[in-house]
Amino acid sequence: MELLTSAYGTSVARRAQLVAVLAEPEDLSPARLRGLTGVADALEVRADLVGDPDPHRLRRHFRGPLTYSLRSRRHGRRSALGPVERRARLLRAAQQYDLVDLEAMDDLVPELLVGIPTRQRRVSWHQPEATRPDRGADRWFGAAMREASEALRHRFAAMRTVPAAAYLLVPQPGAQYGAAAPLLLTGLGRTDVTAFASGPAGTWTRVLAPWLGAPVVFGRAGAPGADGMPSVAQLRSDYGLPALPPLDALFGIAGRATGGSLAPRLHNAALRHLRLPALYLPFPVDVFPRFWHWAFVFGALARLPLRGLTVIAPHKRGAVEVADIADPHALRCGAANVLWLDAGRWRATTTDTAAALHTLARAGVEPGGRSAAVIGCGGAGQAVALALDQAGARVTLVNRGDARGRDASSRLGFPYVPLSRFSPAGHTVLVHATPVVERPPFPITAADRDAVVLELVYRDPPTALMRATHAGGLVGIDGWDVLFVEVSEQFRLLTGHPLPEALTLRSLCFGSAEPAEAHDLAKPAGQPPARSAMRSASGEAT
């Protein structure tokens, strides 16, 4: 096991400026503005989304600097003003705002440059979607990243001919998952340039950019946006921003939909607590082998090597395929949810097995001799089925899609029943391992009175299955209990360190301040959370 050692104390932590973006009408309310005091350093008004609020009213509730941005359709947003009206609004904003965003090319005209002094200018460029770069071949990742980074450098060289207080470049994520944007920052040696990729695929570049030299990081004043911008609250709770402690390596979660996962919040809290120089990021991935190749190229170019991943649907099979060593459980079910570097070799395993058995044991449930049904034959479902079998249970597989169900049955050697013909009667352990949360996947009223329901997904409010389980008086173990066990085991594998006992994972998730004795791993399983979570996860439980 390669321990990730602390680099704290050898360098002084830096700090980024945290900018709260007002992008919804409710962001202009006095309550929200006052709530940003002491949380954000500055505000940015997206006038193309919220109009032109009175800056004096904003300053009554928020004391920090104000930026005015009127994003045009050419730069990917709503404003379709003609040049005369657009320039009039920008010049008017210069009389009242500390910084005014000027879009490269269109706004860099004598009228605006004369009326807006250098100290108030932010020159920006947002790449239109129509010019999204070609994906290219895997073998050219390194060259493609360098070429994209060089193209951004040329773009910036043209922008900096106009003196300004700040510069902003936002390319499309493209084939290199937005890697060109953070790579641009690594060699500039400037403190006035911010660059990140747009869209949900570029969220990780927004978060990482300050560590590579960007002076600011942007977060929505309200909820996270569809454009990939996290909320200010999320930047603070999930990534510890605006503090910038030393950074030598990256971890992350890789899957089709990573935006709702709580894994970054929990892992980064533990990394900060132990003062380990690493950051855990969300990586939306379409094709896992391409991402795997890209990760090593990016790590080498940015000098931030990838040291481990948690992997969620639909890439758990891909995690087994790229590993140097996969443990027997992962090989048998053909799926892994953790990849980590160990003595120079990549190992793969699944923590779903240990999590399922641990949470059942904490609820006082001994699987041996019981009849268990596992609903869902994805990677997590197969791993739990194997664990139950090894614990002495009689396992039946259940799946909506017949092909996957029969394939899992053939692979594992367990009987299979299509979901359309499944009845929970006769099974005293029922494991739900699908992402369906809106309705119970089977009629809970038909379950035996002594049945225990274990669900792998976590949601707030509770899923339909958990609500029906508790309403029927059955023992229900929801995905929160599974999550906390999995995170503890995954963190140990990824870093070589146990999860700090001082961290209360339930408090981190729910924004509460529970006493130390209510630590998650000591809390009896089967109880619903005491407080509501800030948001829910998507896809399979990690």
Side-chain angles (χ1 to χ4, degrees), residues 111-145:
E111 179 185 358
L112 292 177
L113 297 181
V114 169
I116 303 176
T118 298
R119 68 178 184 279
Q120 287 182 267
R121 299 174 192 159
R122 184 183 73 190
V123 177
S124 70
W125 172 76
H126 295 77
Q127 184 180 27
E129 291 188 17
T131 58
R132 184 168 179 164
D134 182 69
R135 287 185 173 274
D138 290 356
R139 65 182 181 273
W140 300 116
F141 268 7
M145 273 195 222

PDB file of all heavy atoms in Angstrom, residues 111-145:
ATOM      1  N   GLU A 111     -14.973  52.950 -28.304  1.00  0.00           N
ATOM      2  CA  GLU A 111     -15.986  53.581 -27.454  1.00  0.00           C
ATOM      3  C   GLU A 111     -15.976  52.987 -26.043  1.00  0.00           C
ATOM      4  O   GLU A 111     -16.025  53.726 -25.049  1.00  0.00           O
ATOM      5  CB  GLU A 111     -17.369  53.403 -28.084  1.00  0.00           C
ATOM      6  CG  GLU A 111     -18.500  54.021 -27.254  1.00  0.00           C
ATOM      7  CD  GLU A 111     -19.868  53.732 -27.848  1.00  0.00           C
ATOM      8  OE1 GLU A 111     -19.941  53.078 -28.918  1.00  0.00           O
ATOM      9  OE2 GLU A 111     -20.871  54.151 -27.241  1.00  0.00           O
ATOM     10  N   LEU A 112     -15.901  51.671 -25.938  1.00  0.00           N
ATOM     11  CA  LEU A 112     -15.924  51.033 -24.627  1.00  0.00           C
ATOM     12  C   LEU A 112     -14.574  51.141 -23.928  1.00  0.00           C
ATOM     13  O   LEU A 112     -14.513  51.323 -22.705  1.00  0.00           O
ATOM     14  CB  LEU A 112     -16.331  49.565 -24.765  1.00  0.00           C
ATOM     15  CG  LEU A 112     -17.782  49.307 -25.190  1.00  0.00           C
ATOM     16  CD1 LEU A 112     -18.038  47.823 -25.366  1.00  0.00           C
ATOM     17  CD2 LEU A 112     -18.747  49.891 -24.154  1.00  0.00           C
ATOM     18  N   LEU A 113     -13.482  51.027 -24.665  1.00  0.00           N
ATOM     19  CA  LEU A 113     -12.167  51.094 -24.046  1.00  0.00           C
ATOM     20  C   LEU A 113     -11.863  52.490 -23.510  1.00  0.00           C
ATOM     21  O   LEU A 113     -11.134  52.645 -22.523  1.00  0.00           O
ATOM     22  CB  LEU A 113     -11.090  50.651 -25.052  1.00  0.00           C
ATOM     23  CG  LEU A 113     -11.204  49.194 -25.528  1.00  0.00           C
ATOM     24  CD1 LEU A 113     -10.083  48.869 -26.497  1.00  0.00           C
ATOM     25  CD2 LEU A 113     -11.183  48.236 -24.342  1.00  0.00           C
ATOM     26  N   VAL A 114     -12.429  53.495 -24.154  1.00  0.00           N
ATOM     27  CA  VAL A 114     -12.258  54.865 -23.635  1.00  0.00           C
ATOM     28  C   VAL A 114     -13.128  55.076 -22.400  1.00  0.00           C
ATOM     29  O   VAL A 114     -12.710  55.683 -21.419  1.00  0.00           O
ATOM     30  CB  VAL A 114     -12.619  55.898 -24.733  1.00  0.00           C
ATOM     31  CG1 VAL A 114     -12.716  57.300 -24.132  1.00  0.00           C
ATOM     32  CG2 VAL A 114     -11.578  55.870 -25.848  1.00  0.00           C
ATOM     33  N   GLY A 115     -14.340  54.513 -22.420  1.00  0.00           N
ATOM     34  CA  GLY A 115     -15.268  54.751 -21.319  1.00  0.00           C
ATOM     35  C   GLY A 115     -15.069  53.845 -20.121  1.00  0.00           C
ATOM     36  O   GLY A 115     -15.574  54.141 -19.032  1.00  0.00           O
ATOM     37  N   ILE A 116     -14.356  52.744 -20.279  1.00  0.00           N
ATOM     38  CA  ILE A 116     -14.136  51.797 -19.176  1.00  0.00           C
ATOM     39  C   ILE A 116     -12.633  51.674 -18.954  1.00  0.00           C
ATOM     40  O   ILE A 116     -11.921  51.093 -19.783  1.00  0.00           O
ATOM     41  CB  ILE A 116     -14.750  50.419 -19.495  1.00  0.00           C
ATOM     42  CG1 ILE A 116     -16.243  50.570 -19.798  1.00  0.00           C
ATOM     43  CG2 ILE A 116     -14.543  49.440 -18.338  1.00  0.00           C
ATOM     44  CD1 ILE A 116     -16.917  49.284 -20.229  1.00  0.00           C
ATOM     45  N   PRO A 117     -12.110  52.220 -17.871  1.00  0.00           N
ATOM     46  CA  PRO A 117     -10.662  52.194 -17.634  1.00  0.00           C
ATOM     47  C   PRO A 117     -10.143  50.778 -17.388  1.00  0.00           C
ATOM     48  O   PRO A 117     -10.897  49.853 -17.065  1.00  0.00           O
ATOM     49  CB  PRO A 117     -10.498  53.069 -16.390  1.00  0.00           C
ATOM     50  CG  PRO A 117     -11.823  53.066 -15.717  1.00  0.00           C
ATOM     51  CD  PRO A 117     -12.843  52.924 -16.794  1.00  0.00           C
ATOM     52  N   THR A 118      -8.849  50.617 -17.541  1.00  0.00           N
ATOM     53  CA  THR A 118      -8.198  49.312 -17.412  1.00  0.00           C
ATOM     54  C   THR A 118      -8.557  48.617 -16.106  1.00  0.00           C
ATOM     55  O   THR A 118      -8.836  47.420 -16.073  1.00  0.00           O
ATOM     56  CB  THR A 118      -6.671  49.474 -17.506  1.00  0.00           C
ATOM     57  OG1 THR A 118      -6.340  50.015 -18.797  1.00  0.00           O
ATOM     58  CG2 THR A 118      -5.956  48.155 -17.309  1.00  0.00           C
ATOM     59  N   ARG A 119      -8.566  49.361 -15.001  1.00  0.00           N
ATOM     60  CA  ARG A 119      -8.797  48.755 -13.680  1.00  0.00           C
ATOM     61  C   ARG A 119     -10.193  48.157 -13.547  1.00  0.00           C
ATOM     62  O   ARG A 119     -10.447  47.373 -12.628  1.00  0.00           O
ATOM     63  CB  ARG A 119      -8.583  49.797 -12.592  1.00  0.00           C
ATOM     64  CG  ARG A 119      -9.618  50.910 -12.558  1.00  0.00           C
ATOM     65  CD  ARG A 119      -9.401  51.895 -11.442  1.00  0.00           C
ATOM     66  NE  ARG A 119     -10.469  52.894 -11.374  1.00  0.00           N
ATOM     67  CZ  ARG A 119     -10.547  53.962 -12.121  1.00  0.00           C
ATOM     68  NH1 ARG A 119      -9.570  54.211 -13.012  1.00  0.00           N
ATOM     69  NH2 ARG A 119     -11.565  54.811 -12.001  1.00  0.00           N
ATOM     70  N   GLN A 120     -11.106  48.505 -14.452  1.00  0.00           N
ATOM     71  CA  GLN A 120     -12.472  47.991 -14.382  1.00  0.00           C
ATOM     72  C   GLN A 120     -12.780  46.946 -15.456  1.00  0.00           C
ATOM     73  O   GLN A 120     -13.898  46.449 -15.505  1.00  0.00           O
ATOM     74  CB  GLN A 120     -13.483  49.144 -14.519  1.00  0.00           C
ATOM     75  CG  GLN A 120     -13.592  50.032 -13.304  1.00  0.00           C
ATOM     76  CD  GLN A 120     -14.653  51.100 -13.517  1.00  0.00           C
ATOM     77  OE1 GLN A 120     -14.357  52.223 -13.958  1.00  0.00           O
ATOM     78  NE2 GLN A 120     -15.892  50.748 -13.234  1.00  0.00           N
ATOM     79  N   ARG A 121     -11.815  46.593 -16.258  1.00  0.00           N
ATOM     80  CA  ARG A 121     -12.074  45.679 -17.367  1.00  0.00           C
ATOM     81  C   ARG A 121     -11.765  44.224 -16.985  1.00  0.00           C
ATOM     82  O   ARG A 121     -10.736  43.934 -16.379  1.00  0.00           O
ATOM     83  CB  ARG A 121     -11.204  46.026 -18.575  1.00  0.00           C
ATOM     84  CG  ARG A 121     -11.410  47.396 -19.146  1.00  0.00           C
ATOM     85  CD  ARG A 121     -10.373  47.634 -20.242  1.00  0.00           C
ATOM     86  NE  ARG A 121     -10.317  49.025 -20.663  1.00  0.00           N
ATOM     87  CZ  ARG A 121      -9.283  49.568 -21.281  1.00  0.00           C
ATOM     88  NH1 ARG A 121      -8.219  48.817 -21.570  1.00  0.00           N
ATOM     89  NH2 ARG A 121      -9.296  50.842 -21.624  1.00  0.00           N
ATOM     90  N   ARG A 122     -12.689  43.327 -17.367  1.00  0.00           N
ATOM     91  CA  ARG A 122     -12.371  41.896 -17.431  1.00  0.00           C
ATOM     92  C   ARG A 122     -12.639  41.465 -18.863  1.00  0.00           C
ATOM     93  O   ARG A 122     -13.780  41.518 -19.328  1.00  0.00           O
ATOM     94  CB  ARG A 122     -13.228  41.068 -16.473  1.00  0.00           C
ATOM     95  CG  ARG A 122     -12.826  39.581 -16.475  1.00  0.00           C
ATOM     96  CD  ARG A 122     -13.705  38.737 -15.599  1.00  0.00           C
ATOM     97  NE  ARG A 122     -15.030  38.532 -16.164  1.00  0.00           N
ATOM     98  CZ  ARG A 122     -16.049  37.986 -15.509  1.00  0.00           C
ATOM     99  NH1 ARG A 122     -15.887  37.610 -14.240  1.00  0.00           N
ATOM    100  NH2 ARG A 122     -17.220  37.826 -16.090  1.00  0.00           N
ATOM    101  N   VAL A 123     -11.624  41.050 -19.561  1.00  0.00           N
ATOM    102  CA  VAL A 123     -11.770  40.602 -20.944  1.00  0.00           C
ATOM    103  C   VAL A 123     -12.016  39.094 -20.931  1.00  0.00           C
ATOM    104  O   VAL A 123     -11.228  38.339 -20.357  1.00  0.00           O
ATOM    105  CB  VAL A 123     -10.521  40.941 -21.779  1.00  0.00           C
ATOM    106  CG1 VAL A 123     -10.667  40.406 -23.202  1.00  0.00           C
ATOM    107  CG2 VAL A 123     -10.293  42.450 -21.795  1.00  0.00           C
ATOM    108  N   SER A 124     -13.112  38.661 -21.562  1.00  0.00           N
ATOM    109  CA  SER A 124     -13.473  37.244 -21.500  1.00  0.00           C
ATOM    110  C   SER A 124     -13.702  36.664 -22.886  1.00  0.00           C
ATOM    111  O   SER A 124     -14.025  37.377 -23.849  1.00  0.00           O
ATOM    112  CB  SER A 124     -14.736  37.059 -20.649  1.00  0.00           C
ATOM    113  OG  SER A 124     -15.869  37.580 -21.307  1.00  0.00           O
ATOM    114  N   TRP A 125     -13.552  35.344 -22.969  1.00  0.00           N
ATOM    115  CA  TRP A 125     -13.829  34.601 -24.194  1.00  0.00           C
ATOM    116  C   TRP A 125     -14.474  33.276 -23.821  1.00  0.00           C
ATOM    117  O   TRP A 125     -13.949  32.524 -23.001  1.00  0.00           O
ATOM    118  CB  TRP A 125     -12.553  34.350 -24.982  1.00  0.00           C
ATOM    119  CG  TRP A 125     -12.741  33.415 -26.156  1.00  0.00           C
ATOM    120  CD1 TRP A 125     -13.319  33.700 -27.348  1.00  0.00           C
ATOM    121  CD2 TRP A 125     -12.348  32.041 -26.216  1.00  0.00           C
ATOM    122  NE1 TRP A 125     -13.316  32.593 -28.167  1.00  0.00           N
ATOM    123  CE2 TRP A 125     -12.718  31.554 -27.495  1.00  0.00           C
ATOM    124  CE3 TRP A 125     -11.714  31.179 -25.326  1.00  0.00           C
ATOM    125  CZ2 TRP A 125     -12.484  30.245 -27.898  1.00  0.00           C
ATOM    126  CZ3 TRP A 125     -11.479  29.872 -25.719  1.00  0.00           C
ATOM    127  CH2 TRP A 125     -11.859  29.418 -26.990  1.00  0.00           C
ATOM    128  N   HIS A 126     -15.670  33.013 -24.384  1.00  0.00           N
ATOM    129  CA  HIS A 126     -16.369  31.750 -24.185  1.00  0.00           C
ATOM    130  C   HIS A 126     -16.485  31.078 -25.543  1.00  0.00           C
ATOM    131  O   HIS A 126     -17.096  31.638 -26.463  1.00  0.00           O
ATOM    132  CB  HIS A 126     -17.758  31.969 -23.581  1.00  0.00           C
ATOM    133  CG  HIS A 126     -17.722  32.535 -22.194  1.00  0.00           C
ATOM    134  ND1 HIS A 126     -17.464  33.872 -21.947  1.00  0.00           N
ATOM    135  CD2 HIS A 126     -17.906  31.948 -20.980  1.00  0.00           C
ATOM    136  CE1 HIS A 126     -17.497  34.078 -20.645  1.00  0.00           C
ATOM    137  NE2 HIS A 126     -17.759  32.937 -20.043  1.00  0.00           N
ATOM    138  N   GLN A 127     -15.941  29.894 -25.680  1.00  0.00           N
ATOM    139  CA  GLN A 127     -15.936  29.211 -26.967  1.00  0.00           C
ATOM    140  C   GLN A 127     -17.336  28.770 -27.353  1.00  0.00           C
ATOM    141  O   GLN A 127     -18.004  28.065 -26.585  1.00  0.00           O
ATOM    142  CB  GLN A 127     -15.024  27.988 -26.906  1.00  0.00           C
ATOM    143  CG  GLN A 127     -14.877  27.270 -28.234  1.00  0.00           C
ATOM    144  CD  GLN A 127     -13.966  26.073 -28.114  1.00  0.00           C
ATOM    145  OE1 GLN A 127     -13.831  25.488 -27.053  1.00  0.00           O
ATOM    146  NE2 GLN A 127     -13.321  25.710 -29.211  1.00  0.00           N
ATOM    147  N   PRO A 128     -17.818  29.155 -28.539  1.00  0.00           N
ATOM    148  CA  PRO A 128     -19.139  28.703 -28.993  1.00  0.00           C
ATOM    149  C   PRO A 128     -19.164  27.190 -29.177  1.00  0.00           C
ATOM    150  O   PRO A 128     -18.154  26.578 -29.524  1.00  0.00           O
ATOM    151  CB  PRO A 128     -19.325  29.429 -30.329  1.00  0.00           C
ATOM    152  CG  PRO A 128     -18.344  30.557 -30.303  1.00  0.00           C
ATOM    153  CD  PRO A 128     -17.190  30.080 -29.477  1.00  0.00           C
ATOM    154  N   GLU A 129     -20.311  26.582 -28.960  1.00  0.00           N
ATOM    155  CA  GLU A 129     -20.434  25.134 -29.086  1.00  0.00           C
ATOM    156  C   GLU A 129     -20.157  24.659 -30.507  1.00  0.00           C
ATOM    157  O   GLU A 129     -19.689  23.540 -30.707  1.00  0.00           O
ATOM    158  CB  GLU A 129     -21.831  24.678 -28.648  1.00  0.00           C
ATOM    159  CG  GLU A 129     -22.055  24.825 -27.157  1.00  0.00           C
ATOM    160  CD  GLU A 129     -23.359  24.190 -26.720  1.00  0.00           C
ATOM    161  OE1 GLU A 129     -23.897  23.373 -27.495  1.00  0.00           O
ATOM    162  OE2 GLU A 129     -23.824  24.501 -25.634  1.00  0.00           O
ATOM    163  N   ALA A 130     -20.440  25.491 -31.490  1.00  0.00           N
ATOM    164  CA  ALA A 130     -20.249  25.078 -32.886  1.00  0.00           C
ATOM    165  C   ALA A 130     -18.797  24.772 -33.208  1.00  0.00           C
ATOM    166  O   ALA A 130     -18.504  24.043 -34.141  1.00  0.00           O
ATOM    167  CB  ALA A 130     -20.754  26.166 -33.822  1.00  0.00           C
ATOM    168  N   THR A 131     -17.874  25.326 -32.414  1.00  0.00           N
ATOM    169  CA  THR A 131     -16.457  25.105 -32.685  1.00  0.00           C
ATOM    170  C   THR A 131     -15.834  24.134 -31.700  1.00  0.00           C
ATOM    171  O   THR A 131     -14.647  24.133 -31.480  1.00  0.00           O
ATOM    172  CB  THR A 131     -15.692  26.444 -32.615  1.00  0.00           C
ATOM    173  OG1 THR A 131     -15.882  27.022 -31.307  1.00  0.00           O
ATOM    174  CG2 THR A 131     -16.182  27.400 -33.665  1.00  0.00           C
ATOM    175  N   ARG A 132     -16.683  23.279 -31.115  1.00  0.00           N
ATOM    176  CA  ARG A 132     -16.177  22.288 -30.172  1.00  0.00           C
ATOM    177  C   ARG A 132     -15.111  21.424 -30.857  1.00  0.00           C
ATOM    178  O   ARG A 132     -15.330  20.906 -31.953  1.00  0.00           O
ATOM    179  CB  ARG A 132     -17.311  21.394 -29.691  1.00  0.00           C
ATOM    180  CG  ARG A 132     -16.903  20.390 -28.623  1.00  0.00           C
ATOM    181  CD  ARG A 132     -18.141  19.767 -28.022  1.00  0.00           C
ATOM    182  NE  ARG A 132     -17.792  18.785 -27.019  1.00  0.00           N
ATOM    183  CZ  ARG A 132     -18.651  18.308 -26.126  1.00  0.00           C
ATOM    184  NH1 ARG A 132     -19.895  18.739 -26.126  1.00  0.00           N
ATOM    185  NH2 ARG A 132     -18.271  17.413 -25.251  1.00  0.00           N
ATOM    186  N   PRO A 133     -13.946  21.217 -30.204  1.00  0.00           N
ATOM    187  CA  PRO A 133     -12.857  20.503 -30.867  1.00  0.00           C
ATOM    188  C   PRO A 133     -13.188  19.045 -31.126  1.00  0.00           C
ATOM    189  O   PRO A 133     -13.973  18.430 -30.428  1.00  0.00           O
ATOM    190  CB  PRO A 133     -11.699  20.626 -29.869  1.00  0.00           C
ATOM    191  CG  PRO A 133     -12.353  20.911 -28.555  1.00  0.00           C
ATOM    192  CD  PRO A 133     -13.588  21.690 -28.868  1.00  0.00           C
ATOM    193  N   ASP A 134     -12.561  18.491 -32.160  1.00  0.00           N
ATOM    194  CA  ASP A 134     -12.779  17.091 -32.513  1.00  0.00           C
ATOM    195  C   ASP A 134     -12.179  16.178 -31.451  1.00  0.00           C
ATOM    196  O   ASP A 134     -11.166  16.497 -30.843  1.00  0.00           O
ATOM    197  CB  ASP A 134     -12.107  16.816 -33.872  1.00  0.00           C
ATOM    198  CG  ASP A 134     -12.332  15.379 -34.321  1.00  0.00           C
ATOM    199  OD1 ASP A 134     -13.482  15.047 -34.655  1.00  0.00           O
ATOM    200  OD2 ASP A 134     -11.355  14.608 -34.319  1.00  0.00           O
ATOM    201  N   ARG A 135     -12.798  15.021 -31.281  1.00  0.00           N
ATOM    202  CA  ARG A 135     -12.347  14.116 -30.236  1.00  0.00           C
ATOM    203  C   ARG A 135     -10.973  13.519 -30.540  1.00  0.00           C
ATOM    204  O   ARG A 135     -10.184  13.287 -29.633  1.00  0.00           O
ATOM    205  CB  ARG A 135     -13.360  12.986 -30.032  1.00  0.00           C
ATOM    206  CG  ARG A 135     -14.612  13.472 -29.322  1.00  0.00           C
ATOM    207  CD  ARG A 135     -15.544  12.317 -29.036  1.00  0.00           C
ATOM    208  NE  ARG A 135     -16.651  12.768 -28.213  1.00  0.00           N
ATOM    209  CZ  ARG A 135     -16.620  12.830 -26.890  1.00  0.00           C
ATOM    210  NH1 ARG A 135     -15.531  12.479 -26.253  1.00  0.00           N
ATOM    211  NH2 ARG A 135     -17.645  13.251 -26.203  1.00  0.00           N
ATOM    212  N   GLY A 136     -10.690  13.211 -31.763  1.00  0.00           N
ATOM    213  CA  GLY A 136      -9.375  12.693 -32.098  1.00  0.00           C
ATOM    214  C   GLY A 136      -9.190  11.255 -31.652  1.00  0.00           C
ATOM    215  O   GLY A 136     -10.023  10.648 -30.995  1.00  0.00           O
ATOM    216  N   ALA A 137      -8.050  10.681 -31.974  1.00  0.00           N
ATOM    217  CA  ALA A 137      -7.754   9.298 -31.629  1.00  0.00           C
ATOM    218  C   ALA A 137      -7.074   9.227 -30.272  1.00  0.00           C
ATOM    219  O   ALA A 137      -6.365  10.143 -29.853  1.00  0.00           O
ATOM    220  CB  ALA A 137      -6.839   8.690 -32.699  1.00  0.00           C
ATOM    221  N   ASP A 138      -7.277   8.115 -29.572  1.00  0.00           N
ATOM    222  CA  ASP A 138      -6.701   7.944 -28.245  1.00  0.00           C
ATOM    223  C   ASP A 138      -5.187   8.132 -28.246  1.00  0.00           C
ATOM    224  O   ASP A 138      -4.620   8.708 -27.324  1.00  0.00           O
ATOM    225  CB  ASP A 138      -7.025   6.537 -27.720  1.00  0.00           C
ATOM    226  CG  ASP A 138      -8.498   6.382 -27.382  1.00  0.00           C
ATOM    227  OD1 ASP A 138      -9.222   7.379 -27.488  1.00  0.00           O
ATOM    228  OD2 ASP A 138      -8.901   5.264 -27.022  1.00  0.00           O
ATOM    229  N   ARG A 139      -4.526   7.632 -29.282  1.00  0.00           N
ATOM    230  CA  ARG A 139      -3.066   7.669 -29.269  1.00  0.00           C
ATOM    231  C   ARG A 139      -2.523   9.088 -29.392  1.00  0.00           C
ATOM    232  O   ARG A 139      -1.334   9.317 -29.185  1.00  0.00           O
ATOM    233  CB  ARG A 139      -2.507   6.786 -30.390  1.00  0.00           C
ATOM    234  CG  ARG A 139      -2.836   7.270 -31.790  1.00  0.00           C
ATOM    235  CD  ARG A 139      -2.283   6.296 -32.839  1.00  0.00           C
ATOM    236  NE  ARG A 139      -2.550   6.729 -34.186  1.00  0.00           N
ATOM    237  CZ  ARG A 139      -3.660   6.454 -34.847  1.00  0.00           C
ATOM    238  NH1 ARG A 139      -4.611   5.757 -34.248  1.00  0.00           N
ATOM    239  NH2 ARG A 139      -3.828   6.859 -36.084  1.00  0.00           N
ATOM    240  N   TRP A 140      -3.395  10.022 -29.734  1.00  0.00           N
ATOM    241  CA  TRP A 140      -2.938  11.403 -29.901  1.00  0.00           C
ATOM    242  C   TRP A 140      -3.336  12.281 -28.724  1.00  0.00           C
ATOM    243  O   TRP A 140      -3.276  13.497 -28.822  1.00  0.00           O
ATOM    244  CB  TRP A 140      -3.499  11.995 -31.187  1.00  0.00           C
ATOM    245  CG  TRP A 140      -3.087  11.252 -32.420  1.00  0.00           C
ATOM    246  CD1 TRP A 140      -3.890  10.576 -33.276  1.00  0.00           C
ATOM    247  CD2 TRP A 140      -1.756  11.112 -32.932  1.00  0.00           C
ATOM    248  NE1 TRP A 140      -3.167  10.019 -34.284  1.00  0.00           N
ATOM    249  CE2 TRP A 140      -1.846  10.327 -34.098  1.00  0.00           C
ATOM    250  CE3 TRP A 140      -0.506  11.554 -32.506  1.00  0.00           C
ATOM    251  CZ2 TRP A 140      -0.723   9.985 -34.858  1.00  0.00           C
ATOM    252  CZ3 TRP A 140       0.603  11.213 -33.255  1.00  0.00           C
ATOM    253  CH2 TRP A 140       0.491  10.446 -34.405  1.00  0.00           C
ATOM    254  N   PHE A 141      -3.749  11.687 -27.606  1.00  0.00           N
ATOM    255  CA  PHE A 141      -4.195  12.504 -26.484  1.00  0.00           C
ATOM    256  C   PHE A 141      -3.150  13.522 -26.063  1.00  0.00           C
ATOM    257  O   PHE A 141      -3.441  14.688 -25.842  1.00  0.00           O
ATOM    258  CB  PHE A 141      -4.541  11.615 -25.296  1.00  0.00           C
ATOM    259  CG  PHE A 141      -5.994  11.222 -25.256  1.00  0.00           C
ATOM    260  CD1 PHE A 141      -6.847  11.522 -26.289  1.00  0.00           C
ATOM    261  CD2 PHE A 141      -6.494  10.552 -24.160  1.00  0.00           C
ATOM    262  CE1 PHE A 141      -8.179  11.158 -26.258  1.00  0.00           C
ATOM    263  CE2 PHE A 141      -7.825  10.187 -24.109  1.00  0.00           C
ATOM    264  CZ  PHE A 141      -8.665  10.490 -25.161  1.00  0.00           C
ATOM    265  N   GLY A 142      -1.912  13.078 -25.893  1.00  0.00           N
ATOM    266  CA  GLY A 142      -0.871  13.994 -25.438  1.00  0.00           C
ATOM    267  C   GLY A 142      -0.677  15.148 -26.393  1.00  0.00           C
ATOM    268  O   GLY A 142      -0.655  16.314 -25.992  1.00  0.00           O
ATOM    269  N   ALA A 143      -0.563  14.827 -27.683  1.00  0.00           N
ATOM    270  CA  ALA A 143      -0.376  15.874 -28.683  1.00  0.00           C
ATOM    271  C   ALA A 143      -1.589  16.778 -28.757  1.00  0.00           C
ATOM    272  O   ALA A 143      -1.468  18.008 -28.878  1.00  0.00           O
ATOM    273  CB  ALA A 143      -0.105  15.241 -30.047  1.00  0.00           C
ATOM    274  N   ALA A 144      -2.796  16.184 -28.670  1.00  0.00           N
ATOM    275  CA  ALA A 144      -4.020  16.983 -28.753  1.00  0.00           C
ATOM    276  C   ALA A 144      -4.118  17.943 -27.575  1.00  0.00           C
ATOM    277  O   ALA A 144      -4.535  19.096 -27.744  1.00  0.00           O
ATOM    278  CB  ALA A 144      -5.243  16.067 -28.801  1.00  0.00           C
ATOM    279  N   MET A 145      -3.760  17.483 -26.392  1.00  0.00           N
ATOM    280  CA  MET A 145      -3.813  18.372 -25.228  1.00  0.00           C
ATOM    281  C   MET A 145      -2.836  19.520 -25.376  1.00  0.00           C
ATOM    282  O   MET A 145      -3.155  20.670 -25.083  1.00  0.00           O
ATOM    283  CB  MET A 145      -3.492  17.590 -23.952  1.00  0.00           C
ATOM    284  CG  MET A 145      -4.690  16.919 -23.315  1.00  0.00           C
ATOM    285  SD  MET A 145      -4.290  16.408 -21.647  1.00  0.00           S
ATOM    286  CE  MET A 145      -5.062  14.803 -21.642  1.00  0.00           C
TER     287      MET A 145
END
